[in-house]
Amino acid sequence: MVKNPVEFTSRLTKGEAVAALAWLPVHLWLLPLLLQQMINRGAMDDVAANVICYTLGVLYMLGLLFPFLRRDFDPLCDRPGYCLLEILKNYVLMYLGNMAVGALMMLVLGQSGENPNNAGLMDMAGRGWNQMSAMAVFMAPIVEECMFRAGIFGTLRRYSRWGAYLVATLAFSLYHVWSYALVDPVYWLYFIQYVPVSLLLCRVYERTNSIWGSIFFHMLVNYIAMNALKVLETLL
């Protein structure tokens, strides 16, 4: 792995790290469980439930991690051109990685298959495009980058750079498919599709020395993905 040209000084304090990581079980299990009960009772649909889940996550992160988010904005402002170039360069790398993964999926499955997370997102977007776009493009990157990059990657990197990349990449990739894979184990294979972006989100965070670098990269990825799904939906 190439040495980072910029010294990586982005750090959560011990209390901030606890707060970021504590939201993981809430986001993964507790909130979905409670919101599913509301869906079952007819109090809301899955679109509203997802928006509520991420809205609460954004409020939590802004409330408890605001000092970290504020001080991590400075490296981005100090070198905006470099950070923008890193975001664009890594998007190209992600695109190439996705092509390689698509070829691998064709080899393993005989077809690229339908990613269950994308299928679910497309279904909800068809019933609430504005809400799902706001969630995917603006809210999800803030919540997920604070948990996976700042919380997991940033904490582990103090002890092992390789370990931080490995754990954060696997955790973020499996996060997108685990709930589907519990129903059908074949969906575990789809975690491979998230490895390129998971790896490069860590790389952007490290190379820009700012969690905002990975947040803005994440926003760009989701913005383009949402618009691609919209185009695909019109063609089907």
Side-chain angles (χ1 to χ4, degrees), residues 118 121-122 125-126 129-130 133 222-236:
N118 287 347
L121 186 58
M122 184 184 296
W129 174 258
N130 291 335
S133 292
N222 284 5
Y223 173 78
I224 294 175
M226 286 296 294
N227 281 277
L229 288 175
K230 188 172 185 179
V231 171
L232 182 60
E233 184 181 20
T234 61
L235 295 176
L236 295 178

Side-chain angles (χ1 to χ4, degrees), residues 20-34:
L21 295 173
W23 192 251
L24 267 168
V26 175
H27 182 78
L28 288 175
W29 293 293
L30 183 58
L31 268 179
L33 184 63
L34 294 175

